[in-house]
Structures are given as C-alpha cells and as structure tokens.
Amino acid sequence: QVRPVESGGGLVQPGGSLKLSCRIAGNSFSIRAAAWYRQAPGQPRELVASVAPGPGSSAEYVESVKGRFTISRDNAKGMVYLQMNSLKPEDTGIYLCNTWTSSGATIWNWGQGTQVTVSP
C-alpha cells in the first residue's frame, strides 16, 4: 500500500541542523496541504508544521519550533521538506509526513517516519 516515505533523520548535537524530506505519491499532491508530525517515546503524535498547497505556500508551526524550523514543498516532485535548525533535545522523535483533505483529515496511512535524535 502506498505510504509517504520520509528520510533525512539522524543523530545530531544540540544546536545542530537537519533537513528532512518526504515523498508523497498521488496526482493530487499539489492541491493538498502537507504537514510534518513528530512522535516522541510515550507521547502522542504532535503536529509540527503545515504548508498550504497554493501559490506562496503559507506555513504554520507549533509554537515550540517557530523561528527554528522551515517547511517547504516542491509540487513538481511530490516532495515536502522540513529544515530544522538550532535543534534541542526535546525535538527528538520520529518525524512523519502526510497530506490533508480540505477538512484537515490525514489522507495516507502513516509511513515509517525518520528518527531524529538530538543528544550531546
């Protein structure tokens, strides 16, 4: 079954940077909002950032990552990215992506995600 494919995670020291990538199949990608989530051990999945489908692709972020993370997309490639700077230990978790219906429901079954570990 088709699922998003995330990549780019790894182990990084506090203050470091990572860029995550996500490939999402489907002809409707360019008209869907896309989003990154993260799940820390024992915690519920948290919405981190979302990006609109249209021109300008306005973005929204959870308060804890504002000014540090940047979400972007390449509609031609079916890709969504998450640039993460000034990483903190509390950013540790599995990062997953998805696209939304017009009512904000996720479309795809969840992929495996990519692990981000921020540790000295």
Side-chain angles (χ1 to χ4, degrees):
Q1 190 171 15
V2 176
R3 300 172 186 263
V5 179
E6 302 91 349
S7 62
L11 173 63
V12 63
Q13 293 185 341
S17 297
L18 284 172
K19 185 175 183 178
L20 307 183
S21 300
C22 173
R23 178 169 51 86
I24 298 181
N27 295 329
S28 63
F29 173 79
S30 63
I31 63 170
R32 303 289 187 189
W36 282 97
Y37 297 76
R38 67 185 174 196
Q39 187 156 20
Q43 299 296 319
R45 189 177 299 125
E46 175 188 34
L47 174 62
V48 174
S50 63
V51 60
S57 297
S58 61
E60 296 186 358
Y61 302 90
V62 68
E63 189 65 33
S64 61
V65 309
K66 285 182 179 178
R68 300 189 298 121
F69 289 12
T70 303
I71 188 172
S72 61
R73 63 190 296 159
D74 184 333
N75 287 338
K77 296 181 179 179
M79 298 290 293
V80 60
Y81 306 99
L82 187 67
Q83 177 68 48
M84 305 187 297
N85 299 328
S86 301
L87 282 161
K88 303 176 180 180
E90 52 263 43
D91 296 318
T92 294
I94 297 173
Y95 283 70
L96 309 106
C97 64
N98 218 309
T99 52
W100 292 347
T101 66
S102 58
S103 60
T106 55
I107 291 175
W108 301 100
N109 288 329
W110 295 101
Q112 291 188 340
T114 186
Q115 176 70 47
V116 172
T117 303
V118 185
S119 179

